[in-house]
Every structure is written in structure tokens, then in C-alpha cells.
Amino acid sequence: MRPFVFATGIEASCPRVLLSDGRTVRMDEYEKTGHYARWRDDFALVKELELDVLRYGPPYHSTHRGPGCYDWSFADETFAELKRLRITPLVDLCHFGIPDWAGDFQNPEWPHHFADYARAFAERYPWVRFFTPVNEIFITATFSAQNGWWNECRTGDRTFITALKHLCQANVLAMGAIVAARRRAGAREPVFVQSESSEYFHAAHPDCVSQAQLLNERRFLALDLTYGYPVSVGTYQYLIEHGMTDGEYHWFARHHVPAHCIMGTDYYAANEHIVHADGSLSPSGDIFGYYVLTRQYYNRYRLPVMHTETNTAEPSAQTWLWKQWANIVRLRQDGVPVVGFTWYSLIDQVDWDTTLREDNGRVNPLGLADLQRRLRPVGIAYQRLVREWRTIMCTNNLLLKLGY
């Protein structure tokens, strides 16, 4: 990657969801947004916006057909075009969904099958260097196995920890498989961007402080396990009490992949929460904002940072874009190695207003372009931001140029 990259992504969520009428459906955002039919138009938009990087991946649920069995037909077409257009893909290999044959994230065999898939991808496309093996592990485990919304649609701490454990194992095993594949090919070392939701929990009352502190420790779990970072005693007890063994916990420290990692932090206004006296949560809005949360995550892991997701709907999108950008600039001025920014996603999304739990076909105006592939005002503003800031952000003397 360059010293600083400007990115977008094509929303690739594909969880299975149990609808209120009892039907189980695959909520495939590529299908809902027309990407399967219009991927050439979507890639052309990336070039029009003059962006460096596209968060993008094959549809995992339909590409991984079974153990050791893959259908690369769609990926072969799309990745050939990305290569031709010289768009750098940051490859999203698992985005909230799992193939039907693999069951769900409670399956202890799935991490090994996923590592085989990651290896096969890296061998087939040896020119690809940047990967997010498993997107937003914490959110995937929470929505699937604690809130009961997606995939296994189960609730409780034990199912949550099981899903989290398997997702983190899949992430680590996939990283190792990709490193091995690239070394066998004599290619450059891969770069892994762990795109994770940055969260914070605010106590609504003094009686809630302890619960908020517990939640603020647990928000780090996906990255703690992936990076082999030692957790607190209380968090370790929570893991053990809800199904993780001591050996499984220490497996992560032993298998941490010594490769170049970038900590991807996703931030939306809904990422901060209020903890109420009855234990319930409600959105707080952006009280601390991206700057404060990113400093907390950076201070914990000391890794380069990339802002890997943000958006909000029109008509507030342009204001939100500039607010996020101001946070990026301030972080860089204060010495945090922020290496990229992403407006997610390229085109509008569908049914995210219900967290994909209802199959309404409702368009959410969150993209840089609408579903007719016309740039929205925020898309034009982002294009202008890229043109104005690219040179200064891609130099190593940013502070000097900004007068600090």
C-alpha cells in the first residue's frame, strides 16, 4: 500500500436470517444491490472516484462449495478486471455468512475448511497481497450467537464464545495459510487488515459502571485472540466459564501469525452504547467519536491503523464524511500511524435499516453512489477530498506541511 490510501468497498454481507414468518433466507447484498449484474459498472465507479483500494471479495457462501471444492467462475472474471483496471483489492474472504454445507459458526471443523479456502484463493490469485480474512468477528459472533439474529440464531454467552473462538481460529489459520501460499510462490509477504468494529459502552448510572467496564473489556476480544494479546483476569474467567478451555485460549498466543498486520477500525454513530440499570443497551450516538476510540485501540495493540468502514445516510452524509476526516487528520498529527480511510460502501445498501433481519428490499442511501450508479453528493465530496488531500497524506512529512 501507499503511505496513505483512500478506499471504498462493495457491501458483501451474506448471512442466513430467520424471518418473522418462519422462512430462512440468505440475505445476499451482492444480489440485493445488483452487483452480480453490474460489477463492471461498479469497478468503473471506483476508477471515476480515483480511489486506491477496494474492499472486495468473492461471495463466500457460493464460492466455497464443500470441503476442498470451489467455484471460482465469478471471482475469475471480477479479479481479472480489477487487475486490468489496476484497482488494489483488499480481499474480504468471509463477510457475516457461511456456506450452507458448513452449518454455522458453532461448527468446530469450519475454521480448518476456511483456512483451506483462503489457501486456495491465495494460490489462484498470487498477485493479490492485501486481505481481511474474516470481517468484523466481534459483530459476527454477537449478531449470530448472542443476539440470535443471523446464521445459528442463538443467544447466550456460551454460544457467543463458541462462535467467537471459531471465527478467531478461522482468521488466524487463514492468515497462516495465505502466508505459506505466498512464500511457496516466492511472492511478497501478505498484509492483513483486521477490520473490526470499534465500540464503547457508557454507564447511564453509577450502578452501571461495573457492567460498562466489563463490556469495555470484552469489546477487544476478537483482536485480543487474533493478536495473542493477554486478556485481563476477569475476561479470562468469562471465557473459561462459557466454554473456552485453557488450552484453546493459549493456542492463540502460540499461533499468532508473525506477519504485517494493520488494525482496521470501523466506526459508525451506532458503535457507542448506553448501559442501563436493567442491563439493557441503547445507542448513545457519537459521544467520544472516532478519535477517542481509535486512540484506545491503538494504545492497546500499537499497530498501524486503517479506518475501514464508516457511513451515514443522506442528507447528513457530507457532514459525517468531513467529521470522520477531521478525526483522521488529528490522529495523524498526534502521531498515530493511520494509513487509510474508507467510506463504506461504494453503492447504496439494502435492508441494513433492519440489520438484514427483514427482507423488505428497502434501499438505504449510504453509498457514494445510488443503485443506478449515479454519484451521490457525498460521492462528489469524497472525490474532491481525495484530490485535495492525496499528495499531503502520502508524504512522510505531514506534520511539517500542516505547520506542526
Side-chain angles (χ1 to χ4, degrees):
M1 286 186 177
R2 300 170 61 173
F4 191 93
V5 298
F6 295 93
T8 188
I10 298 178
E11 168 59 27
S13 298
C14 58
R16 289 194 312 273
V17 178
L18 179 63
L19 301 179
S20 58
D21 61 8
R23 289 184 299 128
T24 299
V25 299
R26 175 77 64 179
M27 300 293 276
D28 182 348
E29 282 289 291
Y30 279 0
E31 180 67 37
K32 285 177 170 287
T33 60
H35 176 68
Y36 289 125
R38 301 195 63 179
W39 55 268
R40 289 182 178 84
D41 296 332
D42 293 338
F43 295 168
L45 275 175
V46 177
K47 295 299 288 185
E48 180 181 350
L49 288 161
E50 302 174 31
L51 301 176
D52 308 296
V53 168
L54 179 68
R55 290 195 60 199
Y56 186 71
Y60 176 51
H61 65 288
S62 59
T63 303
H64 197 176
R65 305 299 296 174
C69 180
Y70 316 107
D71 177 0
W72 300 112
S73 54
F74 184 70
D76 282 348
E77 283 194 280
T78 52
F79 277 85
E81 182 67 358
L82 289 172
K83 188 176 183 182
R84 187 187 72 83
L85 292 172
R86 297 184 179 180
I87 295 172
T88 299
L90 171 51
V91 178
D92 221 348
L93 290 176
C94 176
H95 201 117
F96 295 149
I98 189 170
D100 290 341
W101 63 267
D104 55 42
F105 296 117
Q106 302 297 303
N107 179 1
E109 298 302 317
W110 172 70
H112 304 280
H113 295 309
F114 181 71
D116 291 339
Y117 172 72
R119 180 184 299 107
F121 180 93
E123 289 172 347
R124 192 172 187 89
Y125 309 101
W127 57 274
V128 174
R129 191 180 177 208
F130 303 100
F131 295 89
T132 298
V134 183
N135 173 72
E136 286 195 345
I137 291 171
F138 184 83
I139 293 297
T140 305
T142 299
F143 287 8
S144 298
Q146 192 166 66
N147 294 356
W149 295 347
W150 296 345
N151 300 304
E152 49 260 59
C153 296
R154 299 174 69 176
T155 60
D157 287 330
R158 181 167 288 267
T159 53
F160 166 70
I161 292 301
T162 299
L164 183 80
K165 172 180 65 180
H166 293 158
L167 285 156
C168 290
Q169 286 173 343
N171 197 37
V172 171
L173 289 170
M175 291 166 66
I178 292 167
V179 168
R182 291 189 64 84
R183 286 177 178 171
R184 282 194 300 271
R188 296 176 68 190
E189 289 287 294
V191 176
F192 298 106
V193 182
Q194 274 77 39
S195 178
E196 283 295 326
S197 179
S198 50
E199 308 273 330
Y200 195 84
F201 298 85
H202 304 273
H205 185 273
D207 292 344
C208 312
V209 169
S210 294
Q211 179 63 15
Q213 288 175 337
L214 287 174
L215 293 171
N216 280 324
E217 275 291 311
R218 294 172 189 173
R219 66 186 163 138
F220 295 118
L221 271 171
L223 291 173
D224 285 347
L225 294 176
T226 293
Y227 295 144
Y229 186 91
V231 302
S232 69
V233 172
T235 299
Y236 174 79
Q237 291 175 333
Y238 169 71
L239 293 172
I240 298 301
E241 287 171 5
H242 293 97
M244 183 178 287
T245 68
D246 180 74
E248 288 171 334
Y249 170 73
H250 288 289
W251 179 92
F252 288 99
R254 293 196 308 271
H255 289 82
H256 169 57
V257 177
H260 183 42
C261 290
I262 293 171
M263 182 181 63
T265 50
D266 304 346
Y267 183 76
Y268 300 92
N271 285 29
E272 298 186 49
H273 317 270
I274 297 175
V275 182
H276 299 281
D278 63 358
S280 64
L281 304 176
S282 64
S284 69
D286 56 326
I287 294 175
F288 284 172
Y290 184 73
Y291 180 96
V292 172
L293 268 62
T294 300
R295 286 302 300 248
Q296 292 175 351
Y297 281 74
Y298 174 69
N299 289 342
R300 190 176 185 90
Y301 303 110
R302 292 289 168 173
L303 288 169
V305 177
M306 181 174 176
H307 194 331
T308 36
E309 284 189 26
T310 196
N311 68 45
T312 199
E314 302 283 8
S316 303
Q318 291 184 73
T319 300
W320 184 257
L321 170 67
W322 286 107
K323 184 173 185 177
Q324 296 305 298
W325 184 248
N327 279 255
I328 291 288
V329 172
R330 185 69 251 179
L331 283 163
R332 293 260 290 192
Q333 290 172 355
D334 290 347
V336 176
V338 184
V339 300
F341 174 71
T342 311
W343 183 275
Y344 198 86
S345 53
L346 175 70
I347 53 177
D348 287 347
Q349 301 171 13
V350 179
D351 288 332
W352 261 105
D353 55 313
T354 60
T355 328
L356 300 180
R357 288 176 289 159
E358 296 180 12
D359 192 15
N360 300 319
R362 186 178 297 121
V363 176
N364 311 136
L366 302 169
L368 297 169
D370 61 27
L371 294 187
Q372 287 70 49
R373 277 56 182 181
R374 299 172 303 203
L375 289 183
R376 289 191 172 279
V378 69
I380 296 169
Y382 191 32
Q383 183 185 59
R384 183 171 61 249
L385 185 153
V386 171
R387 289 172 176 170
E388 292 173 347
W389 284 87
R390 183 188 298 280
T391 300
I392 192 171
M393 296 300 283
C394 291
T395 60
N396 292 323
N397 57 343
L398 175 66
L399 301 185
L400 179 62
K401 286 181 175 290
L402 291 176
Y404 286 83

